Amino acid sequence: MIKRAMGSVRVNRYSIVSTEEDGHKVSALGNMNGHSWNGKGHVPRRKRRNRFVKKNGQCNVYFANLSNKSQRYMADIFTTCVDTRWRYMFMIFSAAFLVSWLFFGFLFWCIAFFHGDLGATGVGSVPTTAKPCIMHVNGFLGAFLFSVETQTTIGYGFRCVTEECPLAIMAVVIQSIVGCVIDSFMIGTIMAKMARPKKRAQTLLFSHHAVISVRDGKLCLMWRVGNLRRSHIVEAHVRAQLIKPYMTQEGEYLPVDQRDLNVGYDIGLDRIFLVSPIIIVHEIDEESPLYGMGKEELEMEDFEIVVILEGMVEATAMTTQARSSYLASEILWGHRFEPVVFEEKNRYKVDYSHFHKTYEVAGTPCCSARELQESKITILSSPPPPSAFCYENELALVSQDEDEDEDEVEVGPGLGGSTKKDGGVIQMTEFGSHLDLERLQAAIPLDTISYRRESAI
């Protein structure tokens, strides 16, 4: 199996971008002639745009000067409690229980006071002339304990209400109903808060960068999505919107203008089967907002692309939504994503260490899709030569099963190089020239090897 040999060849051919700093460096490269837009090797500093949607999916928006905000939020108290933080919710329910206990404790104390039960002699003694409304209640502390025992149904059997006072019996009934309502509201809110599909979005992953490269002869904007859990997202579908300032023909300024990016709505490509990471493709055509944008224009543009993944959680059947965004500086021109799905024995392996990584593709046009269309240039009109060894195929070869029997490859002396087999790895040494390397690559039967490409899975 060819591993280290091809890996050593591609060191200077591909540039792996795995960090945001490297991505900014790549986005600041020159045009197709290797120079910047002004020919002086200098790209003007672009003002960093404030994100409309953060990378973690939170919207960078706050509301001000709302009229009757408290009344509107209290009218929908259940949603308010579900949306609030856990610590505030526990404080609210603790206060609700404490207030109810104190209120009914005070009510029981008033009933006992006006009935004359608090003037009994002796601690816990019962008057001989009249039966008390509540047994063994001689002060406010006793009435408070009776209130707690009634609402929580503890029932120690020491304090109890008698048939002497119908008002006390009615107060016990009302407190029991209020306690059930508070318990139900608390349990329902906690369950709804724990089962919120928002938490499921934490295990849905977006790539750090988006890329623009050629796919099937057309310039395409691509980003990658993945699911970190084994449970599926049912009816998963994706959407994307481009957000940038816009000035209308009448002179009206729109600071946040939203335009849809077609990711295959008309032919159903927006609905995905998210078992393994998938690359979402937006074809840059005549209807795309990126149609007239080339590499130079991308470096100077100020926009944000918001990507959305929606679907139903398999466990709860509740709809969840995961969001992320890409600024213009986070879009890498002329790059592709490294493959992450490989076939291993009788199943497929997903290697998330390559999820965010990209590599540079030589020969990607730096002009816009409009210029390509107007110039009638056909990209990749002929198949690549045998020496153009594809990086995806190379990485797939490296990830093949190491337990399989490996055949020994012998290279003749006419190719100007020698090989030796060390631990099942072919090592290439002493190539006479670049032509010898191409002849060696052409001699390898690439078509007989089953390459596991991500697009074929």
Side-chain angles (χ1 to χ4, degrees), residues 315-385:
T316 61
M318 300 179 68
T319 302
T320 184
Q321 183 182 92
R323 298 178 295 267
S324 186
S325 67
Y326 301 102
L327 300 178
S329 59
E330 296 172 341
I331 300 178
L332 307 180
W333 189 285
H335 283 247
R336 292 178 186 168
F337 288 105
E338 289 190 6
V340 296
V341 181
F342 309 97
E343 186 173 356
E344 188 178 72
K345 294 183 179 180
N346 59 346
R347 57 182 179 178
Y348 294 93
K349 179 183 71 174
V350 178
D351 187 0
Y352 273 98
S353 63
H354 300 276
F355 185 84
H356 300 289
K357 293 182 179 180
T358 66
Y359 66 96
E360 189 174 1
V361 181
T364 303
C366 295
C367 58
S368 64
R370 174 183 297 170
E371 294 174 351
L372 288 176
Q373 181 68 21
E374 293 175 353
S375 59
K376 305 297 182 181
I377 297 178
T378 303
I379 306 175
L380 296 179
S381 58
S382 60

Side-chain angles (χ1 to χ4, degrees), residues 156-315:
Y156 291 120
F158 186 70
R159 297 178 181 85
C160 61
V161 65
T162 64
E163 66 275 8
E164 183 69 19
C165 300
L167 184 60
I169 298 175
M170 186 178 299
V172 170
V173 173
I174 294 175
Q175 186 178 12
S176 300
I177 296 175
V178 172
C180 290
V181 172
I182 296 177
D183 292 339
S184 301
F185 193 84
M186 180 189 67
I187 295 174
T189 305
I190 292 178
M191 290 299 297
K193 194 173 182 63
M194 292 178 61
R196 294 179 71 184
K198 180 180 180 181
K199 299 301 181 182
R200 182 63 174 88
Q202 303 298 326
T203 54
L204 298 176
L205 194 62
F206 291 90
S207 58
H208 291 163
H209 295 86
V211 298
I212 293 180
S213 62
V214 177
R215 173 171 285 196
D216 294 331
K218 298 180 180 180
L219 283 177
C220 297
L221 171 70
M222 293 173 284
W223 64 92
R224 180 182 275 164
V225 296
N227 181 16
L228 300 182
R229 290 188 179 273
R230 298 182 64 89
S231 59
H232 298 170
I233 297 295
V234 184
E235 295 292 333
H237 57 279
V238 293
R239 294 187 293 120
Q241 287 187 334
L242 186 141
I243 299 178
K244 64 180 298 185
Y246 175 70
M247 182 73 71
T248 63
Q249 296 180 0
E250 296 77 17
E252 180 183 3
Y253 177 72
L254 304 177
V256 183
D257 181 61
Q258 303 180 12
R259 297 188 181 183
D260 287 334
L261 296 179
N262 188 5
V263 291
Y265 312 122
D266 49 351
I267 56 179
L269 294 180
D270 61 319
R271 297 186 292 272
I272 59 177
F273 183 48
L274 195 59
V275 177
S276 62
I278 295 179
I279 296 178
I280 308 301
V281 180
H282 163 67
E283 181 180 326
I284 304 178
D285 53 10
E286 294 83 354
E287 299 179 356
S288 173
L290 307 176
Y291 184 60
M293 189 179 303
K295 184 177 181 180
E296 296 179 357
E297 292 79 7
L298 178 64
E299 294 173 355
M300 296 180 292
E301 277 290 340
D302 178 24
F303 65 85
E304 178 181 359
I305 296 178
V306 178
V307 293
I308 302 172
L309 172 62
E310 293 179 332
M312 291 189 300
V313 181
E314 187 179 28

Side-chain angles (χ1 to χ4, degrees), residues 5-14 16 338 391 394-395:
M6 293 304 174
S8 62
V9 173
R10 71 172 177 86
V11 170
N12 296 327
R13 180 180 297 183
Y14 301 102
I16 304 302
E338 289 190 6
Y391 172 66
E394 178 185 347
L395 190 57

Side-chain angles (χ1 to χ4, degrees), residues 10-51:
R10 71 172 177 86
V11 170
N12 296 327
R13 180 180 297 183
Y14 301 102
S15 175
I16 304 302
V17 178
S18 58
T19 63
E20 184 176 0
E21 181 180 357
D22 295 335
H24 289 296
K25 293 179 180 179
V26 173
S27 63
L29 294 177
N31 58 10
M32 59 190 305
N33 294 326
H35 301 284
S36 64
W37 67 280
N38 54 9
K40 298 181 180 180
H42 174 71
V43 178
R45 183 180 298 273
R46 174 175 49 193
K47 181 181 178 181
R48 185 174 180 86
R49 174 183 176 86
N50 293 325
R51 289 185 180 274

